Amino acid sequence: ELKNEIIERECQGLVEFVEPGHTLDMVVGHAEAKRRLQEDAQWIGQGQLDTAPMGYLICGPVGTGKTFLAECYAGSIGIPCATLKNFRSKYVGETEGNLQKVLSVLRWLGPVVVVIDEADAALGTRQAEGDSGTSARVFSMIARQMGDTRYRGKIIWMLLTSRPELLPIDLKRQGRAEVHIPLFYPIEEDEVRSMFEVMARKNKITLAEGALPAVSPDRRLTGADIESIVLGAKRQAMSGGRKELTRADVEFALGEFIPSSQGLQKELQEMAAVLECTQVSFLPPHWREKVLEPDGRARLQERMTAVRQILEE
């Protein structure tokens, strides 16, 4: 609490703190990724900072819970979790000054988790973009800080993106965001059921006995989709004057819900996450088999290129 107060005072308007209300125990599925994060959180909490990665790249299709996972990780460690707000300014030199102030305070008050959502758009590249080189200098400052091993375990970077292939390799190499964790939609029926239960608990909704019907994994529901269905069932229950969700409420909400039709975009994001993964055990069995096949990654890259061309056309 003291660290939060000091950082907010020193970096007013430049940093926003996330108050993690959950721990990794709330995360459904992604068993191996969750185990790795829980181990890291435990060791960092014990002061064994030399075992901590410099940062993480959390990637996967939209709606897989990347932001939620990052917040749960910070909640498990019990250290401040900050997100960078808009530190850019229209005045020459002020953007770099704002960023330098933020980085100085974070170095002073670590350990702290720094979450950068939509990292592919937020961090830019080394290339100048008609802004007198400001974007390139900002990129260089962040890349230099991410690679400073003196702050291993003290400033933990979490880059979140659904398009990891757009991130410059400078940021996602070993020694910076070195652990790449892909997230996927729930596939197994038990995972889908657990996701419904967790979303109900997250939104303080009571499920009646036997309220959850079987849901086919073929529907490829995201975590965000399932939360929307649970809230739709809650509205149905409220209109009937009930405080608990019944099976009829959930079935009605399931029948009414139409998922996003952006199938090719989701496929592209899923393949990008598979190709970025740095640990085979993070992958679900069906993706693991494809990657380990002879020329599996090459075929996946060919398919990804074909999908990207279709979307561009």
Side-chain angles (χ1 to χ4, degrees), residues 61-63 185 218-222 224-226 228-229 256-267 269:
V62 293
Y185 300 133
D218 294 336
R219 293 197 63 173
R220 293 182 63 80
L221 296 174
T222 71
D225 290 342
I226 291 174
S228 180
I229 292 169
E256 285 287 297
F257 182 77
I258 301 177
S260 168
S261 61
Q262 306 299 321
L264 278 179
Q265 290 185 355
K266 290 181 179 178
E267 182 185 355
Q269 293 170 358

Side-chain angles (χ1 to χ4, degrees), residues 54-274:
M54 296 294 291
Y56 301 89
L57 171 61
I58 312 294
C59 52
V62 293
T64 47
K66 296 181 286 293
T67 304
F68 182 69
L69 179 68
E71 293 175 4
C72 288
Y73 175 67
S76 293
I77 303 179
I79 63 178
C81 177
T83 59
L84 297 185
K85 295 180 71 176
N86 186 15
F87 53 83
R88 298 178 184 269
S89 171
K90 61 182 180 181
Y91 299 109
V92 176
E94 189 168 351
T95 296
E96 295 92 321
N98 288 342
L99 180 57
Q100 185 59 52
K101 179 189 291 185
V102 171
L103 295 177
S104 296
V105 172
L106 294 178
R107 285 193 291 262
W108 178 44
L109 285 177
V112 60
V113 175
V114 182
V115 177
I116 302 180
D117 209 350
E118 304 297 341
D120 57 293
L123 297 179
T125 67
R126 290 191 184 278
Q127 304 301 318
E129 300 176 351
D131 56 2
S132 302
T134 297
S135 294
R137 287 193 294 274
V138 165
F139 175 86
S140 178
M141 290 170 68
I142 291 179
R144 187 165 56 249
Q145 180 60 62
M146 287 182 65
D148 191 338
T149 55
R150 292 176 298 171
Y151 297 96
R152 181 180 294 276
K154 297 178 182 178
I155 302 179
I156 303 159
W157 299 87
M158 301 199 82
L159 310 185
L160 317 181
T161 178
S162 57
R163 297 295 304 274
E165 78 279 10
L166 299 180
L167 266 178
I169 194 171
D170 310 55
L171 297 181
K172 55 187 181 181
R173 68 167 173 79
Q174 293 300 301
R176 287 182 176 151
E178 53 196 12
V179 179
H180 300 181
I181 299 178
L183 302 185
F184 303 95
Y185 300 133
I187 297 176
E188 302 295 333
E189 186 176 339
D190 289 345
E191 285 185 349
V192 176
R193 177 177 292 273
S194 296
M195 184 72 77
F196 270 94
E197 293 171 348
V198 166
M199 288 303 177
R201 194 157 67 246
K202 176 186 173 185
N203 291 281
K204 298 179 174 58
I205 297 172
T206 304
L207 296 171
E209 185 71 25
L212 297 179
V215 180
S216 171
D218 294 336
R219 293 197 63 173
R220 293 182 63 80
L221 296 174
T222 71
D225 290 342
I226 291 174
E227 185 168 23
S228 180
I229 292 169
V230 168
L231 293 174
K234 180 181 180 180
R235 287 192 292 272
Q236 181 70 9
M238 290 175 64
S239 65
R242 295 182 299 279
K243 294 184 178 180
E244 288 187 337
L245 301 193
T246 65
R247 190 183 188 92
D249 295 327
V250 179
E251 288 178 340
F252 175 83
L254 273 169
E256 285 287 297
F257 182 77
I258 301 177
S260 168
S261 61
Q262 306 299 321
L264 278 179
Q265 290 185 355
K266 290 181 179 178
E267 182 185 355
L268 177 67
Q269 293 170 358
E270 196 165 31
M271 289 187 292
V274 173

